[in-house]
């Protein structure tokens, strides 16, 4: 790696204290998806105070804020999205700003996204005379359940004014603070979920000849489903099949009537994405049938693959390079976690960037969704700089 400015060497922006204070306030008051009432009220009040045209209740608890630039010419509208929801996790960290809501925690960093979004909104309002076009902020509920983006879009978040491009970011503890990832093409997985109900015939555990064992069938279905990854998918495609819940039985001496499996399928698209529902169903029903059972498969498409537009990603990578040094910009990072910003990117070109937030030396590198998750807040001004400059660059 070539030498590049460490984030601590960058001059602190004047709004650093506010960024940190907002993030900590939200962190202490986390709210689950579609229950972001306090967060949405805070967002709406700030945006109104800055002169934004604000619409609340968009997709239930979402907030949209619109501001037109003061410079002449240019009719483009850029959407900047920040998700607001927390997770049903009891925080284990001891930070003074730890969650005050029992069993609820900002364990994914969406508190940082809201703080960054509000800082960018303030900066763009203050510099309104310098830019043209329109900025539209979407403060989104319920990202974790994959429902919020759909709800906001259905409620007109991309219309009036219609949006030409969309950008969003996620703080990420798999990258050190000071690094930014802007990768073109498919970057995050499709999310499909399935439930398989296997029906056999219950009986005495010591007399299996008089029963049809659904537990044995379920075990073989679990094993056979991994052949999707090793045999059905093109080795150059990406596929994960995880069976995450296995349920059957009530006692050690009883063969139960039924067994139930639940799990998830992730991919980066391609032919396997089109085929996988049918193939998974065939394996489950076929294996169950071979053992005398029946299987009913409920296969649900959830969020699609997150696909970054090439030109929009090049813009983000260029801005990121100017911000943290080209050596600290990753253009090859992907993961099979899901992200419902994918639904915005299905409608308009854009880019979803990752802003490194880990600091292992300070113990701030627990993974997302961990009860010990926390970030290096030096990521906040980096995220704000990135989003602000990307918006201004796009509208130029
Ligand atoms: Zn998450
Ligand atoms: Zn998240």
């Amino acid at each position: 790696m070539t030498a590049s400015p460490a984030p601590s060497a960058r001059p602190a922006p004047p709004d650093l204290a506010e960024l940190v204070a907002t993030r900590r306030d939200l962190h202490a008051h986390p709210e689950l998806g579609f229950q972001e009432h306090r967060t949405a009220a805070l967002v709406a009040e700030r945006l109104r105070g800055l002169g934004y045209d604000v619409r609340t209740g968009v997709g239930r608890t979402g907030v949209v804020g619109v501001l037109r630039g003061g410079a002449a010419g240019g009719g483009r509208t850029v959407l900047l999205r920040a998700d607001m929801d927390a997770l049903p996790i009891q925080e284990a960290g001891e930070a003074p700003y730890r969650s005050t809501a029992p069993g609820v925690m900002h364990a994914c960093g969406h508190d940082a996204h809201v703080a960054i979004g509000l800082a960018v909104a303030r900066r763009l309002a203050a510099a309104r005379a310098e830019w043209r076009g329109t900025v539209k902020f979407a403060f989104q509920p319920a990202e974790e359940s994959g429902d919020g983006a759909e709800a906001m879009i259905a409620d007109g978040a991309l219309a009036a004014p219609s949006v030409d491009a969309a950008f969003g970011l996620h703080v990420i503890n798999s990258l050190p603070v000071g690094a930014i990832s802007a990768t073109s093409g498919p970057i995050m997985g499709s999310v499909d979920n399935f439930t398989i109900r296997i029906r056999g015939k219950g009986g005495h555990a010591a007399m299996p000849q008089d029963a049809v064992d659904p537990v044995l069938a379920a075990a073989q279905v679990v094993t056979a489903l991994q052949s999707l990854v090793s045999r059905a998918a093109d080795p150059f495609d990406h596929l994960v099949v995880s069976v995450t819940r296995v349920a059957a039985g009530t006692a050690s001496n009883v063969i139960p009537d039924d067994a139930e499996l639940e799990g998830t399928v992730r991919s980066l698209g391609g032919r396997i994405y089109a085929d996988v529902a049918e193939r998974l169903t065939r394996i489950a029903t076929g294996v169950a049938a071979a053992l005398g059972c029946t299987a009913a498969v409920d296969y649900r498409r959830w969020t699609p693959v997150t696909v970054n537009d090439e030109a929009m990603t090049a813009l983000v990578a260029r801005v990121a390079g100017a911000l943290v040094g080209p050596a600290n910009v990753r253009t090859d990072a992907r993961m099979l976690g899901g992200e419902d910003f994918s639904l915005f990117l299905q409608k308009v070109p854009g880019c979803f960037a990752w802003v490194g937030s880990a600091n292992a030396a300070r113990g701030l590198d627990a993974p997302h969704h961990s009860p010990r998750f926390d970030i290096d807040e030096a990521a906040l001004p980096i995220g704000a700089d990135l989003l602000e400059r990307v918006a201004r660059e796009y509208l130029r």
Side-chain angles (χ1 to χ4, degrees):
M1 293 276 253
T2 51
S4 55
S8 56
R10 302 170 62 249
D15 57 358
L16 177 62
E18 189 188 318
L19 265 165
V20 170
T22 302
R23 184 256 163 173
R24 291 184 178 190
D25 174 59
L26 295 167
H27 192 90
H29 301 96
E31 296 170 300
L32 295 173
F34 292 131
Q35 298 172 31
E36 307 93 334
H37 301 292
R38 180 186 183 275
T39 309
L42 182 150
V43 165
E45 190 202 316
R46 294 260 188 108
L47 291 177
R48 283 199 187 98
L50 295 168
Y52 282 76
D53 189 7
V54 174
R55 191 153 79 89
T56 57
V58 184
R60 293 165 67 178
T61 43
V63 181
V64 169
V66 176
L67 191 69
R68 216 168 290 280
R76 296 211 282 189
T77 297
V78 64
L79 179 120
L80 305 177
R81 176 273 210 166
D83 45 9
M84 304 189 289
D85 57 322
L87 284 155
I89 295 175
Q90 178 65 44
E91 183 156 11
E94 289 295 319
Y97 48 83
R98 66 185 173 273
S99 171
T100 58
V104 185
M105 176 193 175
H106 269 297
C108 201
H110 301 183
D111 48 347
H113 305 165
V114 175
I116 289 168
L118 288 173
V120 174
R122 180 178 295 278
R123 293 177 185 191
L124 289 173
R128 186 177 183 177
E130 296 168 19
W131 52 272
R132 61 191 191 183
T134 303
V135 290
K136 186 183 224 178
F137 283 88
F139 287 90
Q140 184 204 303
E143 191 286 324
E144 294 291 355
S145 61
D147 295 316
E150 187 177 22
M152 284 197 88
I153 292 168
D155 220 348
L158 287 170
S162 70
V163 169
D164 299 301
F167 298 93
L169 58 76
H170 207 301
V171 293
I172 197 140
N173 270 9
S174 55
L175 290 176
V177 68
I180 294 174
S181 169
T183 301
S184 183
I187 59 151
M188 294 184 77
S190 57
V191 179
D192 300 348
N193 296 324
F194 61 85
T195 305
I196 302 171
R197 289 180 191 86
I198 296 170
R199 191 156 188 85
K201 191 169 95 150
H204 198 295
M207 287 161 255
Q209 74 277 16
D210 296 328
V212 179
D213 185 2
V215 176
L216 181 66
Q220 304 224 5
V221 168
V222 170
T223 308
L225 288 181
Q226 289 310 319
S227 70
L228 289 166
V229 179
S230 66
R231 303 290 89 177
D234 183 319
F236 293 96
D237 279 343
H238 301 79
L239 184 72
V240 169
V241 178
S242 291
V243 176
T244 53
R245 194 175 69 84
V246 179
T250 52
S252 65
N253 58 353
V254 177
I255 292 173
D257 269 332
D258 307 288
E260 193 167 290
L261 304 173
E262 206 170 339
T264 188
V265 174
R266 311 296 177 99
S267 81
L268 286 183
R271 207 177 73 192
I272 190 64
Y273 178 62
D275 291 352
V276 68
E278 194 242 312
R279 282 176 174 272
L280 181 142
T281 303
R282 200 165 68 217
I283 290 172
T285 53
V287 169
L291 294 166
C293 296
T294 57
V297 180
D298 176 18
Y299 194 94
R300 305 172 297 278
R301 295 274 195 215
W302 211 243
T303 48
V305 180
T306 303
V307 183
N308 277 344
D309 176 81
E310 195 179 336
M312 297 301 118
T313 307
L315 186 156
V316 173
R318 200 167 60 241
V319 169
L323 207 57
V324 295
N328 292 316
V329 180
R330 291 274 305 269
T331 56
D332 60 350
R334 297 177 179 85
M335 70 167 84
L336 287 179
E339 167 58 58
D340 74 358
F341 190 63
S342 56
L343 292 164
F344 288 104
L345 294 179
Q346 276 190 332
K347 306 274 187 195
V348 292
C351 176
F352 191 64
W354 291 328
V355 174
S357 52
N359 186 332
R362 291 179 53 205
L364 300 168
D365 60 348
H368 293 252
H369 296 199
S370 152
R372 287 188 172 72
F373 178 80
D374 200 355
I375 61 165
D376 186 332
E377 289 169 329
L380 299 174
I382 296 174
D385 285 357
L386 181 72
L387 216 50
E388 178 201 359
R389 292 192 201 181
V390 162
R392 292 187 64 159
E393 194 66 27
Y394 177 78
L395 292 173
R396 217 146 66 103

